[in-house]
Amino acid sequence: MVALFVFVLSVGPFAALKPVNAEGETYEIGVAIYQYNDNFMTLFRNELEAYFGELAEADGNTYNLEFQDGKNDQATQTEQLNNFIAQGKDLLIANLVDPTGADQIILSAQSAEIPVVLINREPNVSTMELWPGKTTYVGVDARQSGIYQGEMIAELDNHGDINGDGKVSYLMIMGDAGNVDAEQRTQYSIETLELTIPTESLGEHQRGNWDQAKGQEIAANALSQFGEELEVIFSNNDGMALGAVQAINGAGRVINEDIYIVGVDALPEVVELLGQGQFTGTVLNDHFNQSHTAAEVAVKLLTGEEVGSYFWHDYIKVMTAEDAELKRLDYLEETVEEYQQRLIDTYGE
Ligand code: GAL
């Protein structure tokens, strides 16, 4: 049931760049990250920085990146972004703490004529309509990652029903409230599994806010409360899943024998566990392509081009270490209207 994106554009990695000129331009870029204490966003941030370095070597320009840690607090981050605007940065890259509150930031950037590249946390469509051409979101479709999680359990011989009672009894460990990735991964993983077998949530869905220690605590409580009844753990990300793995080991349960666990991100630690048969499946949240595309789109905006409202990459299902290999892939560029039409066509939303 997964409709893979049909990529309409083919781009080389340096397609957007100006020819090398001896002088080279210097660009000031403010990068606001929702919080540094996050495994996945650390991979993303490091790759973004490294790739701007590669672009600079290739095109002779200088990209001065100033990174700020929003410490998971929107007020702190808004101040950081307003400072970037006051300093006259040439471009902003923003991983907003609360993307539903992005409008004021976009409007302030617009009045200072500073283009904005949003990453990781998908904003409302109405936000993308404020300053089209100069505001863009580079990301992945969280529904797809949920669908893959559901499929990975559905495709097991027993469909996740270890005790043979005709249903899958699961625990859901979620990211933070109101987060699009958390909501959609939760909804679509279960809806997808239910196409194959009935499911039952053991207890309420719990929020681990992407955090490993919280994931461990939630899983440990569920394991002691529900014991052998618990057959599958769905975690909205690998960080919390790594915590759950610690809890599973602590409870003396054996992954892929008497319990299954799926996450999202394909963190290196999880890929290693997969290689050892100690994890059921994850989904590559392709930080490599998202960061490279964000940088290339940023360069287009810096040279005055107008760009589409969305640049999408695919999630990739990861059952073996090879599936998680990082390689440059094309993106899908869409206007707001194209995106909305695709949601209707694909998901009936
Ligand atoms: C998700 C990712 C999580 C966390 C979150 C932050 O896409 O899977 O691990 O980084 O973004 O917004």
Side-chain angles (χ1 to χ4, degrees), residues 34 38 40-41 120-121 179 181 185 210 237 265 285:
Y34 98 96
D38 179 298
F40 171 72
M41 280 316 301
N120 176 246
R121 294 184 159 193
N179 183 291
D181 293 353
R185 288 173 190 166
W210 310 118
N237 80 342
D265 283 342
N285 185 1

Side-chain angles (χ1 to χ4, degrees), residues 30-346:
V31 189
I33 301 294
Y34 98 96
Q35 80 171 327
Y36 281 8
N37 182 20
D38 179 298
N39 295 343
F40 171 72
M41 280 316 301
T42 302
L43 292 177
F44 196 127
R45 176 162 53 96
N46 291 341
E47 189 60 41
L48 185 70
E49 190 169 20
Y51 190 59
F52 265 111
E54 287 179 35
L55 291 180
E57 276 194 23
D59 67 12
N61 291 330
T62 303
Y63 301 100
N64 288 327
L65 301 179
E66 183 181 341
F67 284 87
Q68 290 286 346
D69 177 2
K71 304 204 165 77
N72 204 19
D73 180 65
Q74 188 56 62
T76 301
Q77 190 183 52
T78 301
E79 204 179 309
Q80 293 166 345
L81 286 159
N82 284 336
N83 283 341
F84 284 156
I85 292 170
Q87 287 162 24
K89 297 282 190 213
D90 297 306
L91 180 120
L92 304 180
I93 297 180
N95 165 213
L96 296 172
V97 175
D98 176 13
T100 62
D103 292 15
Q104 198 45 55
I105 290 153
I106 303 294
L107 294 174
S108 306
Q110 182 183 21
S111 40
E113 289 178 53
I114 302 173
V116 184
V117 178
L118 297 168
I119 55 169
N120 176 246
R121 294 184 159 193
E122 187 182 337
N124 294 332
V125 164
S126 55
T127 301
M128 304 313 296
E129 289 171 329
L130 291 173
W131 193 24
K134 300 292 181 184
T135 314
T136 191
Y137 173 67
V138 180
V140 274
D141 176 359
R143 300 171 193 82
Q144 195 185 29
S145 54
I147 290 168
Y148 284 158
Q149 286 189 299
E151 285 180 353
M152 288 189 290
I153 298 300
E155 284 160 7
L156 296 167
D157 287 343
N158 59 10
H159 314 304
D161 179 16
I162 293 170
N163 58 23
D165 66 355
K167 63 176 190 308
V168 172
S169 302
Y170 72 90
L171 168 72
M172 180 67 70
I173 311 180
M174 293 183 69
D176 57 339
N179 183 291
V180 172
D181 293 353
E183 304 307 326
Q184 294 185 342
R185 288 173 190 166
T186 299
Q187 178 190 341
Y188 281 86
S189 58
I190 298 307
E191 279 182 15
T192 301
L193 180 55
E194 282 183 341
L195 296 174
T196 301
I197 187 168
T199 68
E200 177 197 27
S201 170
L202 294 180
E204 298 283 301
H205 293 173
Q206 310 249 3
R207 294 210 180 265
N209 298 342
W210 310 118
D211 180 71
Q212 177 163 347
K214 294 206 184 81
Q216 177 173 15
E217 191 187 314
I218 292 167
N221 288 341
L223 285 161
S224 74
Q225 187 177 352
F226 301 109
E228 297 285 312
E229 240 190 295
L230 179 54
E231 298 170 299
V232 175
I233 298 183
F234 284 96
S235 178
N236 283 172
N237 80 342
D238 280 353
M240 298 184 294
L242 282 171
V245 167
Q246 292 173 286
I248 292 168
N249 293 339
R253 301 281 294 272
V254 183
I255 292 172
N256 290 339
E257 280 184 27
D258 62 18
I259 191 162
Y260 297 112
I261 179 160
V262 285
V264 176
D265 283 342
L267 293 182
E269 299 91 317
V270 165
V271 174
E272 200 182 321
L273 286 174
L274 264 178
Q276 299 161 353
Q278 287 171 39
F279 203 87
T280 310
T282 185
V283 182
L284 176 65
N285 185 1
D286 194 338
H287 68 278
F288 183 82
N289 280 292
Q290 289 177 73
S291 59
H292 288 216
T293 298
E296 289 174 14
V297 172
V299 171
K300 290 188 188 194
L301 288 164
L302 285 167
T303 53
E305 274 187 54
E306 301 227 329
V307 300
S309 296
Y310 294 94
F311 288 81
W312 299 105
H313 280 285
D314 271 318
Y315 279 101
I316 294 167
K317 209 187 267 189
V318 178
M319 306 281 289
T320 68
E322 291 72 50
D323 299 333
E325 215 180 288
L326 302 173
K327 52 181 178 299
R328 189 68 177 122
L329 296 167
D330 288 347
Y331 52 71
L332 172 69
E333 180 176 358
E334 286 183 318
T335 61
V336 166
E337 294 71 30
E338 286 164 342
Y339 176 47
Q340 285 181 313
Q341 189 56 49
R342 185 167 56 79
L343 291 187
I344 294 168
D345 295 345
T346 314

Side-chain angles (χ1 to χ4, degrees), residues 21-32:
N21 84 48
E23 301 281 304
E25 303 281 340
T26 297
Y27 295 111
E28 304 295 331
I29 302 174
V31 189

